[in-house]
Amino acid sequence: MATTPTQIPSLNYTAGRMNYRPEAIVIHIMEGSLSGTDSWFKNRQSSVSAHYGIGTNGEIHQYVQENDTAWHAGRVNAPSWNLIKPVRNGLYRNPNYYTIGIEHEGNENSEWTDTMYESSSSLIAEVAQRWNIPIDRYHIIGHHEIYSLKTCPGFKVDLDKLVDMSRRKVGYNPSFTIINQAGSVKTTSQLRIRIGNPSTMNPVLRIAPIGEVINYVGYTDEGQEVAEVTRWYKTVDGNWFWGGGVVEGY
Ligand SMILES: [Zn+2]
């Protein structure tokens, strides 16, 4: 059930990404309607854009291609975001180069419709998979976390809920059962050890080389399904790796 955004190209963008790639998704509120945003982003004088806009009815519009830089979060003021890239002397790399911007219809005080949450989480899940962006609150952020002088995306959106819905769409089961049974395995391929949960949407702690023996303290058969394997192992220090890249009995 891939989303099919309606293409409404904006001229307000920078071609390419200055050697960066999308590493995070910035959530915005339009402070207006979807149709108003369509014309605002088409207007060269506005000098703003985003990659996507989503209506309260779930409709998705695309204004800028993901490979290009949209003009949605270029200003930085007292950022609270941990992953922002500083340059020097309190200056920052322009966040537009390494983020995807998604606008949402409404204003800072309007309730988000279920349909808008649905569409937005589907789009986030797709974008995250395309660019291997972990789906968590470090990588799915509100605009004000970059630019503190704005309230964007407003007071009503529940970003934790949006992240949770997006994670479920990539096959992550939030209520998995852990079998507490220790053992050890040997890697058969380079294996990503993930922080936090049995899911490829979690940040990578390190990459284990082929042939490494790893001790585990437990496992689950209800982790994210990858190549029809749902077994994930929990390491001694509480991290996770996928069972498809190892053999048992070491
Ligand atoms: Zn914004």
Side-chain angles (χ1 to χ4, degrees), residues 122-135:
S122 297
L123 179 62
I124 290 168
E126 288 174 16
V127 171
Q129 286 187 303
R130 262 197 291 280
W131 296 98
N132 198 23
I133 299 171
I135 302 180

Side-chain angles (χ1 to χ4, degrees), residues 28-29 72 103 143 150 152:
H28 299 270
I29 192 84
H72 63 101
E103 289 279 358
H143 186 189
K150 279 199 157 188
C152 181

Side-chain angles (χ1 to χ4, degrees), residues 146-159:
I146 291 176
Y147 190 70
S148 66
L149 300 179
K150 279 199 157 188
T151 59
C152 181
F155 307 112
K156 295 298 183 180
V157 60
D158 182 344
L159 289 178

